[in-house]
Amino acid sequence: MSESILDPHLRFDTFVVGAANRLAASAARAVVDAPGTAYNPLFVFGGAGLGKTHLLTAIAHAMAERHPDMPTRYITLDDFADELDAAIRGSQADAFKRRYQDIGVLLLDDVQGLSGRREMQSEILRVFNVLQGAGRQIVMGSDRAPADIRDVDQRLLNRLSGGLTVDIGPPDQEARTELLRRFASTRRITFGGGVLEQLARSPLGNVRELQGALNQLVAHQAVAGALLAPNEVWQVLGTAQLPQRADEFESFLQDVVTSVAASVEAWRTHLTARIAWWSGQGFRTAVLERALELPEAPDVEELDSSFAAVADRLRTLEGVAIRVDRSLTGHAAFRDPERLREAETLLAHAVAAAEPLPPPDNRWQLTDLVRTAGNRAAIQAVADLVEQHGEVGTPLFVHGKSGAGKTHVAHAAARVLLGDEDSGKRVAIVSGAAWLDELLVAMHAGQLERWRARYRLADALVVDGFQAFDRQTRAHDELLALGQIYSDAGRPVLLTSDRPLGAYVGISAGLRAWIEGGRVVHLVAPSVNERTGRQTPVPDGDEAAAPNIDIRGVRDATPPDGVRVTRLTPPGGIALGVAGLDAEKMILEWPEAPGRLMEEMR
Amino acid sequence: MPIVNYAARELTCKIVYYGTGRSGKTTNLHYIYDRVPANRRGSMVSLATQNERTLFFDFLPLDLGTISGFATRIQLYTVPGQIFYRSTRKLVLQGADGVVFVADSQRRQREENVESLRDMHEVLAEQGVDVRGLPLVLQYNKQDLPRELIETPRELDDTLNFRGVPSFPADALAGVGVFETLRKISQLVLQRLSAAPPAAMPVR
């Protein structure tokens, strides 16, 4: 991050975009989207008070948010010169060089000061060579174009103008009005209709002068104790600030300004200004434009803040997405609040490609489960789920005591849902405890969006061990949000739990309601007799139950080298059960004594 | 009704200068044209005969810049005053947001003024426009002529201004009263914005 103390208000969202600075603002955003690749170097020039430093500082803030791992440094040329002098005097030239070698984005302001300073020019050229050679980004601000900076080494001049050179002109009237509105709003000052428009028409060329004139109006209004009228603006400011063509047409125009300001509906005007603002930020504003056509005034503030919330989210998604996949930079979905779902999906695809989900455990098959009178309904419900019969998209909640076969059911169901390798399907199967751990890590690392995206796109969601969620309020919201995405898309969700839903005291009402809206089944652990097959005959037509084989733990598992195993269960045969022990938890294959000894020795 | 396109942030008004032939409608527009900065005006379209009589209509678009967030445009039209161009006048009047009736102040033009004003009311009525709701301003032009030749504004008010709308004495050649008239009609037109029913909001 930059070492200088940067004005926290100079951000992209406080930069008023108009015709005169739109290109510069877009280029600055592009630099943040893809540092070192879009425009390198970016050279922004324009007169004093037109927003160069604002843009450079905005880049620094945005870099800190979106690329915290990429060191960004904002420095004026004079400060750079001071550092260089100090380094040379202190014989620390090497340390100085190293400091700049590690920078990801260098923001160098007031570059016009290079004129005639040969030693500094050669040092800057060296720094530029190092940074650009390493694909780092350089952004410069200057009050004149590179070609107009006199007495500069030709090689450096070529370097300055070798990327994109873009100028910022004086703001047009619309941008000036918006600027003034912002100043007034920041200071919580109210002006009468038409006053700011009138002031915006003053010949004052730069933003600071406009701000000064506004301050005069504020002071006058405070003393007078009444709102200024548009035609009083020039009286307060004096004739020097009158528009230069104060002739008949200007006078007519002033009248029109007053009439329009008094006549157009305030909410539409406000909404219009917000639309212009969001458009300037690069967002598609169709949803706000539709609101303009409403016959009655909507809550514009509410509308605007909802839009802002979605826009913020889109920015976050884009930030995460381009870190995963650079080609997503500037994708239109990240600029359209009506395409939020699409943006989430884009991110999810990108993350899914970069971080594939772990597959279910192959060892467990649905057909291996002993079907008994106590678990048949539950197994059938799982079978329905995986074959997507009945109500798709509603969660299936399977509860049963430890050893009832829940993990078996979860992995076996996930395996079926996954299909064969060519199916292209993805199943998110995770234990409740692991899910919570991942969530915590993601929250601490500021990687929540990326974590969410990883789970968002699978074709089915299986959470084994829902009990881990008890009293984990934050996790409830995440699970519910994710679950509802699956529900809405008609994708299967399976939750297993060691206790019935009613036994939970610490789960949120929303999560409970969502689960209750689905199907809840009880998986009863088979008795020893049932496990060993000595049970009542399988009803006719229940082919799935036909194998009637006990859980054999590891199928086709290869023992470690040097370890011979003794199978308690003959392959394909009937397992031996031990009364009171859960079949799934039972160790069915023991290493023989020499093997055990080798294990001990290890 | 003025077109307020909130979505496109545009506000457009159409103002028509109406009156007898040679009353000075085109002179009004020329005067305005000369005083509007070049970046604010479109090119003036004027279809005139060889002896400079308006054949079809004059059209002067004024771009007033962004006002309250709206790109504001005022379009000024004149109609041909000669009696035989009635169908053209009818066309030009269509969709007018406000009308400036330019009367020739010469005594001998009295009947023509009255006839033209009646003609305007008829054309508007044919178009289903309620003239009582349409912003109207009267301009009594050629007040610079010798007193014996012209009627005073008061006399002209008695003859023409039975609705008691704003009226302005003018000398359009010298520009007297030209902008006063334009200011008033613009003000009246723009005041109607706040009364615009939602249905009048055009769809993009």
Side-chain angles (χ1 to χ4, degrees):
Chain A
M1 183 50 205
S2 53
E3 294 161 26
S4 317
I5 297 170
L6 299 175
D7 185 337
H9 297 106
L10 302 183
R11 310 173 69 85
F12 278 122
D13 54 5
T14 55
F15 189 80
V16 174
V17 179
N21 60 15
R22 183 162 285 123
L23 183 57
S26 303
R29 283 184 175 281
V31 161
V32 176
D33 287 343
T37 55
Y39 308 115
N40 202 11
L42 172 63
F43 192 100
V44 181
F45 72 95
L50 297 181
K52 302 181 299 293
T53 301
H54 190 146
L55 265 190
L56 264 60
T57 312
I59 292 176
H61 287 308
M63 285 298 300
E65 284 169 12
R66 294 181 44 190
H67 306 279
D69 48 335
M70 194 176 281
T72 300
R73 182 142 207 249
Y74 170 90
I75 189 166
T76 63
L77 190 78
D78 284 343
D79 289 344
F80 182 88
D82 290 347
E83 277 189 11
L84 181 61
D85 283 348
I88 292 170
R89 275 200 307 276
S91 304
Q92 293 187 328
D94 285 343
F96 176 81
K97 286 173 187 170
R98 275 199 304 278
R99 189 181 311 163
Y100 282 90
Q101 279 168 355
D102 296 335
I103 286 176
V105 177
L106 174 64
L107 304 158
L108 189 58
D109 209 354
D110 298 330
V111 173
Q112 69 276 0
L114 277 173
S115 190
R117 298 158 90 169
R118 287 285 168 180
E119 190 180 355
M120 191 164 58
Q121 286 176 20
S122 62
E123 191 55 38
I124 285 203
L125 186 60
R126 197 199 64 76
V127 168
F128 280 15
N129 283 337
V130 170
L131 291 182
Q132 285 193 300
R136 312 291 168 75
Q137 177 72 47
I138 299 165
V139 182
M140 288 165 283
S142 164
D143 68 3
R144 64 203 76 169
D148 296 334
I149 306 176
R150 291 185 180 180
D151 200 8
V152 174
D153 185 297
Q154 188 58 41
R155 288 170 306 161
L156 180 58
L157 199 58
N158 292 344
R159 191 55 62 88
L160 296 182
S161 46
L164 176 68
T165 301
V166 58
D167 72 320
I168 297 186
D172 58 17
Q173 196 190 327
E174 188 171 356
R176 290 150 71 93
T177 309
E178 178 60 24
L179 274 166
L180 290 167
R181 195 167 282 131
R182 292 280 184 84
F183 295 151
S185 160
T186 310
R187 299 183 56 180
R188 299 177 192 280
I189 306 288
T190 307
F191 283 102
V195 169
L196 296 181
E197 282 88 347
Q198 193 75 287
L199 178 56
R201 293 176 48 247
S202 112
L204 297 171
N206 78 41
V207 178
R208 290 186 202 118
E209 288 172 336
L210 268 181
Q211 213 166 354
L214 185 86
N215 289 341
Q216 274 183 269
L217 297 188
V218 171
H220 185 275
Q221 201 165 261
V223 171
L227 291 181
L228 270 173
N231 56 9
E232 292 171 323
V233 168
W234 309 125
Q235 293 167 18
V236 174
L237 297 179
T239 49
Q241 293 177 9
L242 263 174
Q244 282 152 355
R245 294 185 303 271
D247 51 17
E248 286 175 300
F249 177 75
E250 284 300 336
S251 157
F252 157 68
L253 196 52
Q254 285 180 28
D255 270 14
V256 173
V257 167
T258 309
S259 295
V260 171
S263 300
V264 293
E265 287 174 273
W267 72 269
R268 291 188 202 268
T269 309
H270 181 41
L271 188 51
T272 299
R274 296 312 299 157
I275 289 172
W277 156 247
W278 285 115
S279 297
Q281 295 293 307
F283 286 97
R284 196 164 170 269
T285 52
V287 63
L288 297 180
E289 286 165 28
R290 283 199 297 277
L292 269 181
E293 290 166 17
L294 294 173
E296 298 292 332
D299 185 340
V300 177
E301 294 301 333
E302 169 66 28
L303 205 58
D304 188 49
S305 61
S306 316
F307 193 95
V310 181
D312 269 354
R313 183 154 162 67
L314 284 173
R315 281 188 185 128
T316 309
L317 292 175
E318 185 183 19
V320 177
I322 59 180
R323 252 176 271 169
V324 180
D325 180 358
R326 277 282 173 88
S327 72
L328 291 174
T329 302
H331 195 287
F334 296 121
R335 287 283 176 267
D336 186 352
E338 291 183 277
R339 292 169 71 183
L340 177 61
R341 274 290 166 93
E342 190 185 331
E344 288 172 342
T345 308
L346 267 177
L347 172 59
H349 275 296
V351 174
E355 299 169 14
L357 292 162
D361 196 321
N362 265 336
R363 294 173 297 176
W364 286 308
Q365 308 287 330
L366 268 185
T367 48
D368 288 349
L369 275 171
V370 178
R371 298 213 174 187
T372 67
N375 70 10
R376 182 166 288 113
I379 294 171
Q380 189 56 49
V382 174
D384 287 347
L385 180 85
V386 298
E387 287 164 26
Q388 309 208 13
H389 291 150
E391 287 186 57
V392 290
T394 56
L396 174 62
F397 186 87
V398 177
H399 65 91
K401 287 184 179 165
S402 179
K406 300 183 299 298
T407 301
H408 185 138
V409 160
H411 282 265
R415 170 53 54 194
V416 179
L417 285 163
L418 195 58
D420 56 33
E421 280 182 8
D422 301 332
S423 71
K425 289 191 171 175
R426 302 190 322 115
V427 173
I429 175 159
V430 63
S431 81
W435 208 79
L436 287 169
D437 287 346
E438 282 180 16
L439 175 61
L440 270 177
V441 170
M443 283 167 70
H444 285 303
Q447 301 277 322
L448 202 51
E449 282 300 341
R450 188 172 179 143
W451 175 84
R452 286 174 182 152
R454 190 164 178 243
Y455 285 101
R456 190 173 287 133
L457 207 64
D459 296 287
L461 174 66
V462 180
V463 179
D464 182 29
F466 177 77
Q467 58 275 10
F469 285 80
D470 201 12
R471 295 190 172 85
Q472 302 289 334
T473 326
R474 182 70 179 82
H476 295 170
D477 297 341
E478 292 295 336
L479 180 62
L480 182 60
L482 189 67
Q484 281 175 337
I485 290 173
Y486 278 75
S487 294
D488 292 349
R491 290 183 253 156
V493 179
L494 172 63
L495 308 171
T496 71
S497 161
D498 69 357
R499 67 200 80 160
L501 199 54
Y504 286 95
V505 287
I507 62 167
S508 72
L511 187 58
R512 187 186 294 274
W514 173 65
I515 295 172
E516 284 173 346
R519 194 167 169 192
V520 176
V521 291
H522 185 196
L523 188 67
V524 179
S527 67
V528 173
N529 281 347
E530 287 167 340
R531 282 193 196 107
T532 53
R534 290 190 291 275
Q535 59 155 115
T536 48
V538 175
D540 288 343
D542 192 355
E543 295 86 357
N548 205 16
I549 300 167
D550 197 1
I551 304 144
R552 283 170 295 146
V554 182
R555 286 167 64 93
D556 307 326
T558 311
D561 289 344
V563 180
R564 289 183 60 203
V565 299
T566 304
R567 281 181 185 274
L568 296 182
T569 314
I574 293 173
L576 300 173
V578 180
L581 287 179
D582 294 322
E584 242 181 52
K585 314 292 178 191
M586 229 167 69
I587 301 167
L588 298 169
E589 292 169 351
W590 289 90
E592 290 179 342
R596 286 207 298 277
L597 191 60
M598 283 179 71
E599 289 282 290
E600 292 290 324
M601 288 173 74
R602 279 178 190 163
Chain B
M1 188 62 70
I3 295 174
V4 190
N5 190 332
Y6 280 94
R9 297 181 287 283
E10 286 176 358
L11 195 163
T12 308
C13 312
K14 176 179 179 179
I15 292 171
V16 176
Y17 283 69
Y18 203 96
T20 60
R22 290 187 178 276
S23 62
K25 302 176 292 295
T26 303
T27 312
N28 264 275
L29 257 62
H30 275 297
Y31 186 85
I32 294 166
Y33 179 87
D34 288 341
R35 267 134 198 93
V36 176
N39 62 335
R40 297 281 197 193
R41 68 187 184 208
S43 44
M44 182 164 164
V45 179
S46 199
L47 293 175
T49 59
Q50 279 186 339
N51 55 358
E52 296 191 342
R53 305 293 294 274
T54 301
L55 182 63
F56 195 58
F57 61 86
D58 302 315
F59 169 58
L60 174 58
L62 300 180
D63 179 2
L64 305 188
T66 305
I67 300 174
S68 294
F70 291 84
T72 306
R73 294 190 189 86
I74 294 187
Q75 298 170 341
L76 305 180
Y77 288 80
T78 66
V79 296
Q82 286 70 42
I83 202 79
F84 38 87
Y85 290 125
R86 191 165 193 271
S87 58
T88 308
R89 283 197 294 277
K90 202 169 163 181
L91 266 177
V92 175
L93 261 186
Q94 207 157 30
D97 300 309
V99 175
V100 174
F101 183 84
V102 183
D104 189 333
S105 299
Q106 297 179 85
R107 284 186 195 284
R108 61 184 174 83
Q109 288 296 108
R110 184 175 186 163
E111 286 310 310
E112 279 82 351
N113 285 335
V114 172
E115 177 58 31
S116 179
L117 191 60
R118 191 170 58 227
D119 177 60
M120 184 189 86
H121 278 87
E122 279 176 15
V123 170
L124 288 171
E126 284 170 24
Q127 291 175 348
V129 176
D130 181 358
V131 284
R132 291 168 302 180
L134 183 72
L136 174 68
V137 171
L138 301 183
Q139 185 189 73
Y140 304 139
N141 196 18
K142 306 190 185 177
Q143 285 286 316
D144 55 311
L145 290 178
R147 286 200 172 278
E148 59 274 20
L149 295 180
I150 58 169
E151 292 188 307
T152 63
R154 180 183 288 267
E155 287 170 326
L156 284 157
D157 264 345
D158 288 344
T159 312
L160 301 170
N161 198 2
F162 48 88
R163 279 174 52 198
V165 298
S167 63
F168 297 91
D171 167 11
L173 268 177
V176 176
V178 171
F179 268 98
E180 287 81 347
T181 309
L182 180 60
R183 285 164 80 157
K184 178 50 81 176
I185 190 67
S186 304
Q187 187 191 347
L188 294 176
V189 165
L190 293 170
Q191 275 172 1
R192 296 186 79 208
L193 290 175
S194 50
M201 301 300 164
V203 179
R204 279 152 61 84

